[in-house]
Amino acid sequence: MAWGLAALLGLSGCAGAQAPTAAEQQAGEAPRVVLAAPASDSPAPAPAASETLPPPVVPAPAPVVVPPAARQAVVDAYEAFQKRRWADIDRLAPLAAADPVLGLYPRYWALRNRLQDRARPVPDAEVRQFLADAAGTYLDERIRADWILAATRSGDYVQALRVPAVAEPSAAVRCALLLARHQSGKRARAAEVLDVFQPNADCWDLLDQAAADHILSRKELNGLLRDTLESGKQGDADRMAGVVFDDAAMVQYAALMKNPRKWLESRGQPRAAVDFELAAIALSRLARSDDRAEAARTIQERWAGWMPKADLQWVWGQFGLVAALNVDPEAARWYRQSGFVPMTDYNHAWEVRAELRAAPIDWDRVATAIRKMSGRQADEPVWRYWYGRALAAQGNAVAARQYYESIAAEQGFYGLLAAEELGRTPALPPQPAPLDPAWTAQARANPGLRRAVALFDLGWRREAVPEWNFALRGMSDAQLRGAAEFAREQHIYDRVVNTSLLTRGVADFSQRFIAPFEGQVAAKARLIDLDPAWVYGLIRQESRFITDARSRVGASGLMQLMPATARHVARKIGMKDFKPSQVNDFDTNTILGTSYLNMVLQDLSGSELLATAGYNAGPGRPKRWRAQLQAPVEGAIFAETIPFTETRLYVKNVLSNAVYYAMLFSGQPDSLKARLGTVGPMDGTRTARP
């Protein structure tokens, strides 16, 4: 059975490649674009000027006195907010106002609820008062965004356009502003609508109006529907179909989505444009059938002569995508029938991955698949690396070296691989000069950071993280490093890493690859002969060293253990009297986590690559992906072609993290290629591991 696309799609771009000309569409050809490569002697980025500025003089901040009753009112209001008891929040807000740090939050929760209620008038006067009281804070920004949405939804487009600009507007706010501008007389352009659209309520309002006013062409609407269908989100696809099709066509759409094979068997040769589009969608749905090969024969025997070439090529691109996500060796063959039809970034990426998994690899086809991408997508480090590899395989060593040079300074998976292709000994970047304590003192005095710490102390991470990130806006490198040190003092380790990652001119690996808990993790790893650098690399990706981290699927603690996994490992290692409530305990979590990682490693032939994938996706899946290989592949190819987006990114991050931790711990070079190794075919043996 084919795996569901909805489970396999994830972090993916939605913009398509540039469309070929009409002549190219008819011929199924497009120019062979040579990607630009920078000169090999491009200078490294200069250090940010802010690092050379004198440290600030920071007066000792005045002590902040928080009345206990006011803070308790904030806590009680938060509980009421969680339970949607709005009358209680209104009662508690005046009491909470005496809290000089968090006192605005109850008013914010109450006001935001009123702004989101479409049945009530927009409380403009109350919003203006709140903005005056919250000026310059994160809540000021949030309420302005909500005010824009509420004003647009109520039809007060003039007011929506008068709201002071939001620095980083969400897709919903961008859609609302474009709709307000359009309805105020400045007609939106198709490119603007396509650029901002995301499937949310406010963007649907924009799209409905754009369709009614004929801003988008039939081809553009069809393209939106095809891209939405590809995402596997059925509700969004049905909603989009309602924009694209009239009532009669919607009846046909519903029938083909229910049973595309039956619907196609009942149809003759398409005549009208809408019939061709419905047929193309139905044919693409056959890719999800249990027998794609038989479905493909049906297309070739009956439909190939009826369908326009570009539509048929799009269908084969969908066959290629579904096959690639099922690690089907036939994926490359179907992709090769897709020509140069425009596809989503997500689909273009999978065409390259399908070629990388083909046996033997046709490097010319790998290069051609990358040249089909938009310039923006092809410039990503991942595709620069593989394009360089393709050039090298074709004998163009000079051009390949240019591509490797262009990304070798990148601190990540493909930067490390590119440096090794250049023959460089892996090494850490120079550690920047010690940070003057005045920068950390400045961070301690920052009201936004202090407010975020107060929220972290209450355990309100959902509120604390955006407060912290808002306070970082516009900071220099020195200020960011100071904020990261402040987070270290507070033991908020995820903010240490994420804040330090924002610096532009320096890379402080003592922050970016923090190793807290004074070697206790390493000690537990060594007890069972695990590489401490690998374990730290995994924890950095799993939880960013948050001991009470909890994922959306219920995994807990530093090493993000699922309850069933924790119980299974506790039994296996003889941990007496284990209780699920202990899973966030540091010692318990690290003992169970390292033990489970070791079990998975032994199950998967001692491969860190396969074990990392198994830790994230379950140990049975790497076995199935490996069983589909036609020949041995280098570890980098196996990692890049993992069909789960989350797991693919996870594996690349964990293993590159491990390389950096190994060099930090030992002071010696470490090779990512050696860690990745080679993965050969094997039977997809079942595993008893959860």
Side-chain angles (χ1 to χ4, degrees), residues 18-191:
Q18 294 176 349
T21 66
E24 289 163 354
Q25 284 182 327
Q26 289 183 6
E29 298 294 339
R32 294 170 65 84
V33 178
V34 178
L35 305 181
S40 60
D41 59 351
S42 297
S50 58
E51 284 288 323
T52 64
L53 293 176
V57 177
V58 184
V64 176
V65 178
V66 178
R71 178 57 56 87
Q72 187 58 50
V74 174
V75 173
D76 292 344
Y78 184 76
E79 181 181 354
F81 168 62
Q82 299 292 97
K83 296 178 180 179
R84 305 180 70 80
R85 298 198 308 258
W86 306 112
D88 287 351
I89 296 176
D90 288 338
R91 174 178 57 80
L92 290 162
L95 301 173
D99 182 336
V101 181
L102 303 179
L104 281 172
Y105 264 89
R107 278 177 67 192
Y108 163 72
W109 294 325
L111 181 54
R112 188 162 189 243
N113 175 59
R114 286 193 275 278
L115 286 169
Q116 291 178 339
D117 187 348
R118 296 195 184 210
R120 300 172 65 172
V122 178
D124 293 328
E126 189 178 351
V127 171
R128 290 188 181 93
Q129 183 59 56
F130 183 89
L131 293 179
D133 296 339
T137 68
Y138 167 67
L139 297 185
D140 170 1
E141 179 102 344
R142 284 299 306 269
I143 283 296
R144 278 186 283 125
D146 289 325
W147 195 12
I148 291 168
L149 296 176
T152 303
R153 291 166 184 169
S154 70
D156 191 350
Y157 304 118
V158 173
Q159 178 58 61
L161 294 172
R162 283 177 178 165
V163 175
V166 175
E168 295 179 6
S170 65
V173 170
R174 293 174 69 202
C175 284
L177 287 171
L178 184 56
L179 177 59
R181 197 196 79 192
H182 175 77
Q183 294 294 78
S184 298
K186 188 175 180 181
R187 187 177 175 86
R189 292 178 287 108

Side-chain angles (χ1 to χ4, degrees), residues 460-480:
W460 300 352
R461 291 193 61 84
R462 188 171 63 179
E463 289 74 24
V465 168
E467 276 276 11
W468 180 276
N469 292 344
F470 183 84
L472 300 179
R473 292 183 185 182
M475 283 191 179
S476 68
D477 283 359
Q479 289 171 316
L480 289 167

Side-chain angles (χ1 to χ4, degrees), residues 363 367 371 386-397 399-400 403-404:
W363 287 102
R371 286 196 294 267
W386 289 115
Y387 197 71
R389 288 289 305 276
L391 291 171
Q394 294 167 327
N396 194 343
Y403 275 88
Y404 300 147

Side-chain angles (χ1 to χ4, degrees), residues 568-575 591-592 595 599:
H568 170 82
V569 177
R571 287 195 303 269
K572 285 289 184 181
I573 66 174
M575 182 179 282
I591 290 170
L592 293 177
S595 297
M599 293 175 186

